[in-house]
Amino acid sequence: MAGIFRNKSGIRLLSRILNSPDLSYNGRSWRSLQTLAYEEVRTSPDRPYDSTAFILHGLLGSGRNWRSFSRNLLSRLSNSSSAEWRVVLVDLRNHGRSAEMGGLDLPHDMVNAAKDLAKLIESQDWAWPDVVMGHSMGGKVALQFLQSCNHGDYGDSASLPKQLWVLDSVPGNVNPENSDGEVEKVLKTLQSLPLLVPSRKWLVNHMMELGFSKSLSEWIGSNLKKSREHETWTFNLEGAVQMFNSFRETSYWSLLEHPPKDTEIAIVRAANSDRWSHDVVQQLESLSSKGLEESKGQVSVHVLPNSGHWVHVDNPKGLLDIVTPRISSL
């Protein structure tokens, strides 16, 4: 889940939508895809890019939640990096404009969510991304993407990202007892609602009456879209629930213990997040303190101050201060 952002002028957003016919809409170029929906963000559309970063949203979110952060990241990179960067904001399966995508490989798990990224890259004939950044559930999709690349699951042409950023996402199995269970409560509540919600106002009031905060209730309401006289979800709820279950049950500690050569796995832990147990924090610190080995990559751990789980909303400047110098060094 993530926050809501407004557009700024001066940045070209190229949007592609799943299974749409070729057409021109409001000055944007739309293409037919059999893969995930995405948006491309660039500071200088007329100049060719030579480096790419993918950003993956969290549960019930979409790529649009990261537009503002992406624009600010590109602005900083343009002043600190010799490379011309672009950011690709992906709508993961069951989310955003990818929610109605058909013909997906089942089950809805981390393995297939990561494979969707490989299919997108191949369908567009892109170079493989230099950086992959994932928040919450998207962080584990990113870890799975790296692991599958390293295992050769995407073929010989696949190349590993140079940096993988995991934003406030516990890399191991997630024990519900280590959090307040808010995500589980939200999903259970949404599953109990009618398929067609009377209105956004009704939903927000209903969520608040159940004890959820106003900000969370309004964010949930932002995921509604008009369907005749009612509102319906922009995400596929049941598919998202299956992805969340896979997220909780999948562990990538072995990947962190043996990171692929020439790849840095950077973990960002929000200082005020409730996701992290003392044992997990100690395990991460132990991995990051190990010296570099010639045959292995690197694991680094960063603490984002003044932030809860919603890192790009609570302290976007602090997050940019962490990620920009390291990305610029590539």
Side-chain angles (χ1 to χ4, degrees):
M1 292 186 277
I4 309 165
F5 298 101
R6 295 183 177 89
N7 285 324
K8 290 182 180 179
S9 60
I11 301 293
R12 182 184 181 189
L13 289 173
L14 296 180
S15 299
R16 269 74 167 182
I17 191 168
L18 171 72
N19 294 334
S20 296
D22 293 338
L23 51 87
S24 178
Y25 178 68
N26 288 345
R28 292 179 178 177
S29 175
W30 298 75
R31 288 183 54 190
S32 175
L33 287 184
Q34 300 299 319
T35 53
L36 298 178
Y38 69 92
E39 292 181 359
E40 184 180 72
V41 186
R42 294 169 61 186
T43 53
S44 303
D46 297 330
R47 291 207 302 264
Y49 63 86
D50 46 32
S51 299
T52 296
F54 276 24
I55 296 184
L56 313 178
H57 60 80
L59 181 69
L60 304 186
S62 65
R64 68 187 175 93
N65 302 139
W66 287 83
R67 285 174 181 165
S68 179
F69 179 86
S70 300
R71 290 193 289 267
N72 290 329
L73 174 62
L74 288 174
S75 177
R76 289 200 183 196
L77 288 174
S78 67
N79 295 322
S80 60
S81 173
S82 60
E84 183 68 29
W85 283 86
R86 67 160 182 163
V87 174
V88 176
L89 304 176
V90 179
D91 285 355
L92 298 174
R93 59 167 58 204
N94 299 305
H95 292 77
R97 290 170 294 121
S98 296
E100 298 178 2
M101 176 178 166
L104 293 168
D105 293 332
L106 298 177
H108 295 299
D109 59 10
M110 298 299 95
V111 171
N112 283 322
K115 189 189 296 182
D116 293 339
L117 301 178
K119 290 181 178 178
L120 174 61
I121 293 165
E122 292 171 350
S123 73
Q124 300 303 303
D125 197 25
W126 287 339
W128 292 74
D130 304 276
V131 173
V132 178
M133 182 181 300
H135 174 237
S136 194
M137 184 183 72
K140 277 200 170 176
V141 175
L143 285 166
Q144 179 62 56
F145 178 78
L146 174 62
Q147 180 169 281
S148 293
C149 279
N150 192 43
H151 288 171
D153 297 340
Y154 304 146
D156 295 337
S157 64
S159 59
L160 277 63
K162 299 168 187 172
Q163 287 182 1
L164 194 86
W165 289 88
V166 181
L167 308 180
D168 210 58
S169 182
V170 176
N173 301 102
V174 178
N175 187 344
E177 295 179 0
N178 292 337
S179 72
D180 59 7
E182 184 178 60
V183 176
E184 290 85 351
K185 293 174 186 175
V186 168
L187 293 176
K188 187 172 290 187
T189 298
L190 297 185
Q191 287 177 305
S192 70
L193 296 176
L195 182 62
L196 295 177
V197 177
S199 69
R200 184 169 300 187
K201 181 179 179 181
W202 177 91
L203 174 70
V204 172
N205 290 336
H206 181 70
M207 297 286 289
M208 292 177 63
E209 288 172 0
L210 294 175
F212 296 103
S213 68
K214 182 178 180 181
S215 59
L216 176 60
S217 301
E218 289 179 341
W219 183 82
I220 293 294
S222 74
N223 288 287
L224 288 169
K225 61 182 179 181
K226 196 71 176 176
S227 178
R228 297 185 180 179
E229 307 299 324
H230 300 81
E231 303 271 352
T232 189
W233 298 113
T234 58
F235 46 74
N236 176 352
L237 180 57
E238 292 308 314
V241 169
Q242 293 175 44
M243 293 175 72
F244 178 65
N245 290 335
S246 174
F247 162 78
R248 290 194 305 180
E249 297 164 0
T250 308
S251 174
Y252 296 97
W253 281 119
S254 61
L255 178 64
L256 294 180
E257 291 165 356
H258 305 280
K261 185 180 180 182
D262 299 326
T263 295
E264 176 185 5
I265 303 176
I267 310 290
V268 176
R269 175 172 65 86
N272 302 329
S273 174
D274 66 351
R275 267 64 175 175
W276 303 88
S277 69
H278 178 69
D279 290 344
V280 169
V281 171
Q282 280 195 322
Q283 192 171 356
L284 278 178
E285 294 295 342
S286 175
L287 287 173
S288 65
S289 65
K290 288 183 178 180
L292 288 176
E293 297 182 30
E294 187 176 342
S295 61
K296 291 184 180 180
Q298 178 184 2
V299 173
S300 61
V301 178
H302 313 265
V303 179
L304 178 64
N306 306 315
S307 177
H309 182 60
W310 318 116
V311 292
H312 56 307
V313 178
D314 294 346
N315 190 2
K317 181 180 181 299
L319 183 57
L320 287 166
D321 289 342
I322 291 173
V323 305
T324 306
R326 298 185 93 90
I327 294 177
S328 296
S329 69
L330 294 177

